[in-house]
Amino acid sequence: MIKATTFKGRRVAVFGLGRTGVSAALSLQAGGAEVWAWDDRDAARDAAQSEGVDIQDLSAADWSGFDELVLSPGVPHDLPAPHWTAVAATAADVPIICDIEILAREINARPAGDRPKVIAITGTNGKSTTTALIGHILKTIGRDAQIGGNIGRGVLDLDRMHAGTHYVIELSSYQLERTISLRADAAIFLNLSPDHLDRHGSMEAYGVAKERIFANQTKDDAIIVGVDDDYGRALTTRLKAANNRRIIPVSSRRALGHGVCSLGGPLMDRTGRSGRVVCDLTDAKALDGIHNAQNAAAAYAAVASLGVEPRPIGQAILSFPGLAHRMERVGQDGRIRYVNDSKATNAEAARQAIASYQDIFWIAGGVPKEGGITSLLDLKDHIRKAYLIGDAAADFATTLKDAGVDHKVSGTLKMAVLCATHDALESGVEHPVVMLSPACASFDQYANFEVRGDAFRREVQSLMELFANHRAAKEQAQANKAKGSAA
């Protein structure tokens, strides 16, 4: 745990007692703050209290006595409607922050030579894979790498910092809009596409929140921007015009005169006077797809910006085992490959997976995002048949029917896996892919995308066992028949 010593003697309200809220409350308490922690859910309060969190009813509090409110990232302070704690804090001029801001202040309070390195990653899609890949690279080359933020552990639950620590932090727009003091040694902005617009109000506001990742950087720090989308290209142009900081474009769709790119295999570093091949991504274990080539380019650029030599970075990239729920291969039986892409909670994320394979038996649906799956119809030739689940099933069926895409409303994930497997076996396709890539949130049927992905994995494993038992029984029957004939 990181003790929030910069808050010693201050009175701090904490609302939202999930993973990040509990770690923030415990960090503040350990650092000497007076904490009033609360959650609207009885179960969350009870669980937090059992871990040692000081529970105080914020609805009965005098908000003029608080120095700050640590508000869970998932709780709105403005749009679509401010939470009651945010209303109370704003009325009392109490600043609203999140756990990332607490970490930033703890880092900044240390002597410059004793601060950890910070690599921060944001973007609409690809954040988790890139974050995990950077952590893997650093650990593989022997660095102390701690991964947290919007992935894995809350940042205040990470191990204590020292000069050799590398904090690899995935940052959502929700976290960035409440972070003021963070300075990243390397900041990655992968892409931007419509998402969370109910929270931010517009694409412009969404982009502004994401761009806070570059705040407080100096000319000694690295800015890494994906330039495979219009927003990233425009952002790079603006950043170059605004300052003389170190900007490294990354791409998997275009050759770059300056930057890091990969077009069809070789990962090229063109940040120096001459280009060099870092590795061949066709040899990577778990980086299928053009989008993962950009993720690899961004990860390489970030680690290389810290002074690490290219060769060990390239070797580590090739050994990356992949990320659960993101184009994760969870099984293969004969010709059929099963891919768990449950983390694809919007159409743009699903696009990346669909574009990476042919002959897909696609499982999609859940709580739909704005625009549905209309933007994916240019990839319909990749889809043999779609199997629709959850709240979005009826609307998605209409979209696919109008586009001439074969589909079936399966309702449940279990039924979708069974139907997709049956159709894949009957199709005669050489390498069919049964893939869960929902293009939707999970909250209609599952608590989160991880639970949904785990359910898909269990269904696939059950099928694998069924197939294995069937083969074993068939082989035994053949052996018994042969034995009988011989007798």
Side-chain angles (χ1 to χ4, degrees):
M1 176 198 294
I2 297 169
K3 294 182 180 179
T5 57
T6 56
F7 287 76
K8 184 176 181 179
R10 298 170 72 82
R11 177 179 289 182
V12 183
V14 176
F15 183 87
L17 296 176
R19 172 174 58 91
T20 59
V22 168
S23 63
L26 293 174
S27 171
L28 289 162
Q29 289 173 200
E34 178 187 346
V35 173
W36 286 47
W38 191 251
D39 195 293
D40 289 332
R41 301 165 297 165
D42 293 342
R45 295 196 302 272
D46 292 343
Q49 191 166 36
S50 71
E51 294 189 46
V53 174
D54 293 337
I55 302 298
Q56 298 281 351
D57 188 353
L58 289 175
S59 67
D62 176 5
W63 282 82
S64 66
F66 289 118
D67 293 292
E68 279 167 293
L69 165 64
V70 179
L71 188 60
S72 174
V75 179
H77 67 271
D78 186 7
L79 298 175
H83 189 263
W84 64 265
T85 54
V87 173
T90 301
D93 291 326
V94 175
I96 300 174
I97 63 172
C98 70
D99 61 328
I100 307 298
E101 175 62 18
I102 299 174
L103 174 69
R105 295 186 196 180
E106 293 304 309
I107 293 173
N108 294 339
R110 300 176 71 90
D114 197 31
R115 294 173 186 169
K117 296 292 185 183
V118 175
I119 301 175
I121 303 95
T122 198
T124 304
N125 299 302
K127 297 186 298 296
S128 295
T129 296
T130 304
T131 302
L133 177 55
I134 292 170
H136 171 78
I137 294 168
L138 289 169
K139 290 177 181 178
T140 300
I141 65 177
R143 303 292 179 92
D144 176 11
Q146 305 288 324
I147 302 171
N150 199 47
I151 180 177
R153 300 159 71 185
V155 293
L156 296 172
D157 194 38
L158 298 177
D159 296 346
R160 287 189 176 185
M161 66 183 75
H162 57 82
T165 307
H166 295 70
Y167 287 144
V168 187
I169 307 173
E170 177 184 325
L171 294 172
S172 71
S173 57
Y174 296 174
Q175 292 166 315
L176 283 166
E177 66 182 356
R178 294 178 190 155
T179 301
I180 303 163
S181 308
L182 183 70
R183 173 192 165 189
D185 296 272
I188 298 174
F189 190 113
L190 291 167
N191 48 59
L192 197 77
S193 59
D195 201 10
H196 306 308
L197 298 187
D198 59 332
R199 172 72 171 260
H200 297 291
S202 67
M203 278 294 290
E204 181 181 7
Y206 180 38
V208 167
K210 289 283 192 184
E211 289 180 35
R212 290 179 66 89
I213 197 169
F214 304 126
N216 309 309
Q217 283 191 296
T218 72
K219 61 182 179 62
D220 297 322
D221 304 320
I223 292 174
I224 297 146
V225 182
V227 294
D228 287 341
D229 65 317
D230 292 340
Y231 194 96
R233 288 190 291 274
L235 173 60
T236 301
T237 300
R238 283 194 283 112
L239 290 170
K240 286 180 177 179
N243 58 63
N244 62 353
R245 287 184 285 175
R246 186 165 40 145
I247 300 171
I248 307 171
V250 296
S251 177
S252 59
R253 296 182 183 275
R254 61 189 65 210
L256 299 176
H258 170 76
V260 180
C261 57
S262 177
L263 305 178
L267 180 61
M268 297 293 302
D269 178 353
R270 290 179 175 152
T271 57
R273 293 184 177 180
S274 59
R276 69 175 83 187
V277 176
V278 177
C279 63
D280 190 336
L281 292 179
T282 58
D283 296 327
K285 292 182 178 180
L287 292 170
D288 291 339
I290 192 169
H291 65 291
N292 272 330
Q294 190 195 52
N295 294 339
Y300 168 81
V303 178
S305 74
L306 302 180
V308 180
E309 289 296 312
R311 181 178 174 81
I313 301 176
Q315 291 173 336
I317 288 172
L318 297 184
S319 67
F320 178 56
L323 191 67
H325 311 297
R326 194 68 183 103
M327 289 178 60
E328 176 193 13
R329 300 181 188 182
V330 294
Q332 183 157 349
D333 189 87
R335 297 178 292 111
I336 304 178
R337 180 189 305 175
Y338 293 88
V339 176
N340 169 22
D341 194 46
S342 182
K343 198 175 189 300
T345 58
N346 58 60
E348 189 62 26
R351 164 177 290 278
Q352 296 170 344
I354 294 170
S356 300
Y357 303 102
Q358 296 290 335
D359 298 317
I360 300 169
F361 294 80
W362 178 35
I363 301 172
V367 180
K369 298 290 180 70
E370 184 176 350
I373 55 173
T374 303
S375 63
L376 299 176
L377 295 179
D378 61 312
L379 295 174
K380 65 181 183 179
D381 290 344
H382 292 242
I383 302 165
R384 283 279 174 158
K385 189 171 180 178
Y387 305 83
L388 307 175
I389 63 175
D391 289 352
D395 287 343
F396 282 12
T398 299
T399 300
L400 294 173
K401 180 180 179 181
D402 292 343
V405 178
D406 195 8
H407 61 279
K408 175 182 177 64
V409 175
S410 298
T412 66
L413 184 57
K414 181 180 182 68
M415 184 58 66
V417 172
L418 290 172
C419 292
T421 298
H422 174 271
D423 292 347
L425 288 170
E426 295 293 316
S427 68
V429 173
E430 185 175 0
H431 298 295
V433 176
V434 173
M435 182 169 69
L436 170 68
S437 189
C440 286
S442 61
F443 307 126
D444 54 342
Q445 295 178 319
Y446 300 96
N448 52 51
F449 73 83
E450 291 99 335
V451 175
R452 178 172 60 189
D454 289 341
F456 177 72
R457 186 186 293 106
R458 286 194 300 272
E459 295 298 338
V460 170
Q461 289 171 347
S462 295
L463 280 176
M464 298 297 98
E465 293 174 6
L466 182 65
F467 291 152
N469 291 337
H470 176 73
R471 283 193 296 270
K474 186 176 181 180
E475 290 170 0
Q476 185 62 51
Q478 291 174 339
N480 292 340
K481 183 177 180 179
K483 185 177 180 181
S485 299

